[in-house]
Amino acid sequence: MLTIGVEEEYVLIDPATGVPVARAADVQAAAGRQRALTAGEVQRELSQAQIEVATPVCHTLDEVGGHLLRLRHCLAQAARGCGCRLAATGSVPFTDRLGVPVTPSPRYLRLRRAAPALVDEQLINGMHVHVGVPDRPTGVRVMNGLRPWLPVLTALAANSPLWHGRDTGFASWRTVVNNRWPASGPPPEFAGAADYDRRIHALVDRGLIADTGQLYWQVRLSERYPTVEVRAMDVQLTVDEAVLLAGLVRGLCARAVTAAQRPFPEPEDSGSGAAEPSGPPEHLQPEHLQAAVWHAARHGTTGVLHAPLTGRPAPARQVAAALLARVDEALAATGDRDRAAFLLERLHRDGNGAVRQRRALRRGGRAALIALIVDETA
């Protein structure tokens, strides 16, 4: 059974207006006084209105769900004590003209100097799933295996339809905002671990990114942990949705790890560059995958999606069913098959975060939307 861990990013909002408030330091300090939290579980994020949590290493989805509930409840209580609310939304629906200052850490301040407008607009929140892998060569095989499914994960997880007080027309506006950075979106295919390491360090050595922490691909190898880190998903309104996505991601990784047991020789490092991988099917070419992610961000689960197994458009529910079937064996092995099927059907029935946000705004205006986000977050 592969280990799993989840990171979630949240925004702190004013309970009446829904605009972000720069109180992350106060909320982190208040949360730190609660016995239910341990050191390192709550961290600061890029802006002073954002805060992040990280679960411990987990072995079951029950553990993942339990830790996320605990962390959300603690932060929600701390936020209320500081006069704001915790919001698990992929984008900030409402803003004011004042903006939100950056967290004053050397890294974040350097980032703002390098790309001020991008940083000022980076009020987006993701969910990152770490899945343990035996080694870096296996991790690269897993990355390659996940690439075709990144649009499907993007669509299911879409929870950021609103931006600056208006509907963007996209289900995941966070995906669009995040993909403006130099190394973002779906990653390229790699020939192996040596190829991966050579190419990411070339980006740094040539001054194209400051460090490997600026690899904002939708899936990458963690430089801190022996994990593959999947970053395609918006933060989810509810813990149940986060658990579903974590289970699907782990299932995809488990299938790819099994496939990685087959021989896959690392290319010789002759100093002249790694050998090119054998060409993927046409629908896995980078330009096709990039376009499929864009369409997934645009339509979410309400339209058609790129079907990884055929390369053709198909209804979102049909493509999601193909994903569930693909990870069926892995879910059965961990005892999560029935839970995943139930949660996925509920997502289709009730709508993902983007659908529910739009529905709340349409039915009850700003107050109803704020209430939905705050209530479902905690």
Side-chain angles (χ1 to χ4, degrees):
M1 182 184 297
L2 301 180
T3 59
I4 189 169
V6 174
E7 297 170 336
E8 287 190 323
E9 298 163 347
Y10 314 114
V11 65
L12 301 170
I13 62 173
D14 182 275
T17 65
V19 302
V21 292
R23 297 179 190 167
D26 295 338
V27 171
Q28 184 183 32
R33 293 190 286 270
Q34 300 182 36
R35 294 182 180 180
L37 293 180
T38 60
E41 288 186 319
V42 178
Q43 297 123 28
R44 299 289 297 279
E45 251 299 329
L46 179 60
S47 90
Q48 293 188 38
Q50 292 171 289
I51 201 159
E52 181 183 54
V53 300
T55 72
V57 175
C58 301
H59 294 86
T60 69
L61 293 186
D62 281 339
E63 289 181 75
V64 172
H67 285 302
L68 289 178
L69 280 172
R70 172 178 58 85
L71 293 165
R72 286 184 179 213
H73 287 162
C74 289
L75 280 182
Q77 181 179 345
R80 285 181 177 275
C82 295
C84 55
R85 299 293 184 269
L86 189 72
T89 176
S91 62
V92 176
F94 308 109
T95 54
D96 57 28
R97 290 178 297 174
L98 299 177
V100 182
V102 70
T103 298
S105 74
R107 176 181 179 80
Y108 290 149
L109 292 173
R110 284 195 304 269
L111 192 61
R112 192 184 185 284
R113 287 194 296 270
L118 290 188
V119 169
D120 288 347
E121 295 185 2
Q122 198 74 5
L123 282 169
I124 55 175
N125 302 296
M127 168 188 172
H128 305 160
V129 178
H130 288 260
V131 179
V133 290
D135 48 53
R136 285 178 81 80
T138 302
V140 172
R141 294 289 304 273
V142 170
M143 282 184 61
N144 289 342
L146 285 173
R147 288 176 70 248
W149 297 95
L150 293 173
V152 189
L153 295 172
T154 298
L156 292 174
N159 183 34
S160 51
L162 304 169
W163 187 251
H164 293 302
R166 65 183 181 89
D167 192 321
T168 64
F170 282 74
S172 177
W173 187 245
R174 168 191 162 272
T175 298
V176 177
V177 172
N178 206 53
N179 286 4
R180 297 183 299 182
W181 293 93
S184 58
E189 189 173 37
F190 294 99
D195 182 38
Y196 177 87
D197 288 333
R198 183 181 302 111
R199 288 163 69 179
I200 67 171
H201 290 298
L203 288 169
V204 178
D205 294 342
R206 295 172 185 176
L208 296 171
I209 59 175
D211 51 51
T212 55
Q214 288 188 13
L215 293 172
Y216 299 138
W217 286 324
Q218 289 189 317
V219 57
R220 68 183 185 185
L221 296 186
S222 173
E223 297 299 306
R224 293 188 296 166
Y225 309 111
T227 65
V228 168
E229 183 184 3
V230 182
R231 306 163 52 86
M233 294 84 66
D234 291 354
V235 70
Q236 296 300 284
L237 279 177
T238 69
V239 167
D240 274 351
E241 289 166 302
V243 167
L244 167 64
L245 289 164
L248 295 175
V249 166
R250 182 166 67 169
L252 287 169
C253 290
R255 183 182 174 100
V257 167
T258 299
Q261 307 308 316
R262 295 193 292 270
F264 186 77
E266 287 286 330
E268 297 272 339
D269 186 359
S270 62
S272 59
E276 289 295 320
S278 59
E282 184 178 51
H283 64 278
L284 297 185
Q285 293 291 351
E287 64 273 21
H288 293 191
L289 189 56
Q290 182 71 39
V293 167
W294 189 95
H295 280 275
R298 170 67 177 86
H299 299 290
T301 56
T302 62
V304 298
L305 291 175
H306 161 90
L309 300 181
T310 66
R312 308 292 298 176
R317 182 184 281 264
Q318 180 180 321
V319 177
L323 168 57
L324 190 64
R326 188 169 184 84
V327 299
D328 180 75
E329 184 176 341
L331 292 172
T334 58
D336 297 314
R337 174 193 280 160
D338 291 343
R339 174 191 297 197
F342 170 77
L343 291 176
L344 184 59
E345 178 58 31
R346 188 168 72 184
L347 183 148
H348 287 308
R349 183 194 70 206
D350 297 342
N352 63 7
V355 170
R356 301 202 306 280
Q357 285 202 41
R358 285 181 168 132
R359 184 187 301 143
L361 186 64
R362 183 173 63 249
R363 291 178 176 176
R366 178 182 288 216
L369 175 61
I370 295 171
L372 169 81
I373 293 173
V374 170
D375 291 347
E376 294 207 359
T377 294

